[in-house]
Structure formats: structure tokens, C-alpha cells
Amino acid sequence: MKKVGILMGSDSDLPVIKKATDTLKEFGIPFEVHVYSAHRMPGHVREFVSSAADNGFGVIIAAAGMAAHLAGVCASYTVLPVIGIPCKSAALEGMDALLATVQMPSGIPVATVAIDGGKNAAILAAQILAVGEPELAAKLRAKRESDAAAIIEKDRGIMERL
Ligand code: RP5
């Protein structure tokens, strides 16, 4: 199976990335994680992303906060799908990173998930890889079913809680 390459702009983004890696582990998807900042070490970002397809990666996840250019810069160096996670920071609570990540110019898309949406980033990466992996697609369908079953259980008990 292809790997997921995960970059974060700072190790302060780690709690968000942990949500993604926990989910990838659940699905048995291989991944590699680096702290590579688009602003502080652009050369590392370019080297990793421009060789990612040749190195067995199928999707890139990029998480950054504030002036969050990381996902967009990743997308400029590859035609692999890039998923951007805008991370919450103190001043603007993630709105800055959300807009910086989602408002990409025509031709260079970034599939942007919610602020701090590490789990959905991993699920979306899994769905992309599952196009060519029937076993992974089956795991994703099973997860949807178990998630729905958990809500049905909550529905059964909701009247008693009122
Ligand atoms: C971004 O700035 C990082 O992705 C992080 O979310 C934010 C703050 O970085 P640190 O100052 O904590 O390194 O580049």
C-alpha cells in the first residue's frame, strides 16, 4: 500500500497530527511524519514533497497554523493529492490558517479539512488510497457502520436522559 506523508509546520502542531496518525494506525496505513516548516526550512519541504511519489507516497497531509502556507507549498511541488489541516493558534483561533490553507489559486488545489481536523484528514487520505485498495475500502465501510451503530445506541437511550 502507498504511504501517507505527513508534514507539520511546528512540533506545537503535534496534538493535531496525533489524531491523524492514531486513525491511520486503526486502518493499518503506513505513514511517515516530519516537522518541516514552509517558512523556516523550505528546502526540506521541497526535497521531501518533490520526491514523495517516487518514494512510495500516495497522499500528503500538511498541518500548519497562523500564516499556514505549508499545504499550499506542498501542493506546488507534487501532483499527489494534498490534504491541508489548518491548526488553531491563540490570536485568531485558526481562522487565519483556515483561510490561508483553503483559498488556493486555481490549478493548485488543497483539500482542506476543518480547523484541527486531524481525524478527518486521515480518513480522507484513507479514502483516496482506498480507490486502489479494496481491503481498505471494506475497512472504511465497516467503520461507517460501527460509527452509525454507536449513534443508534445513543438514540435508544436519549429519552431517559431528558
Ligand atoms: C506555524 O506556526 C506552525 O504550523 C504552528 O502552528 C505555528 C506556531 O509555530 P511555533 O511558533 O509553535 O513553532 O508555522
Side-chain angles (χ1 to χ4, degrees), residues 111-123:
T112 305
V113 296
I115 295 168
D116 287 353
K119 184 169 181 176
N120 264 3
I123 293 171

Side-chain angles (χ1 to χ4, degrees), residues 30-157:
F31 60 84
E32 187 174 315
V33 180
H34 294 283
V35 184
Y36 285 168
S37 162
H39 304 116
R40 294 161 174 155
M41 45 201 297
H44 286 74
V45 175
R46 184 181 61 185
E47 194 179 324
F48 179 83
V49 178
S50 58
S51 59
D54 289 339
N55 288 331
F57 293 93
V59 187
I60 303 292
I61 293 175
M66 301 175 76
H69 299 124
L70 183 59
V73 168
C74 288
S76 76
Y77 287 125
T78 184
V79 295
L80 291 175
V82 174
I83 301 169
I85 313 174
C87 296
K88 190 184 272 188
S89 55
L92 297 173
E93 300 194 327
M95 277 305 290
D96 42 0
L98 173 63
L99 296 177
T101 305
V102 78
Q103 288 287 65
M104 287 297 292
S106 178
I108 312 289
V110 167
T112 305
V113 296
I115 295 168
D116 287 353
K119 184 169 181 176
N120 264 3
I123 293 171
L124 183 53
Q127 290 179 188
I128 291 166
L129 296 178
V131 170
E133 300 277 349
E135 275 183 31
L136 179 55
K139 283 185 193 172
L140 283 160
R141 281 193 293 273
K143 175 80 169 105
R144 289 270 177 105
E145 281 165 23
S146 69
D147 285 353
I151 297 169
I152 288 165
E153 200 51 47
K154 286 178 182 164
D155 173 61
R156 284 202 187 97

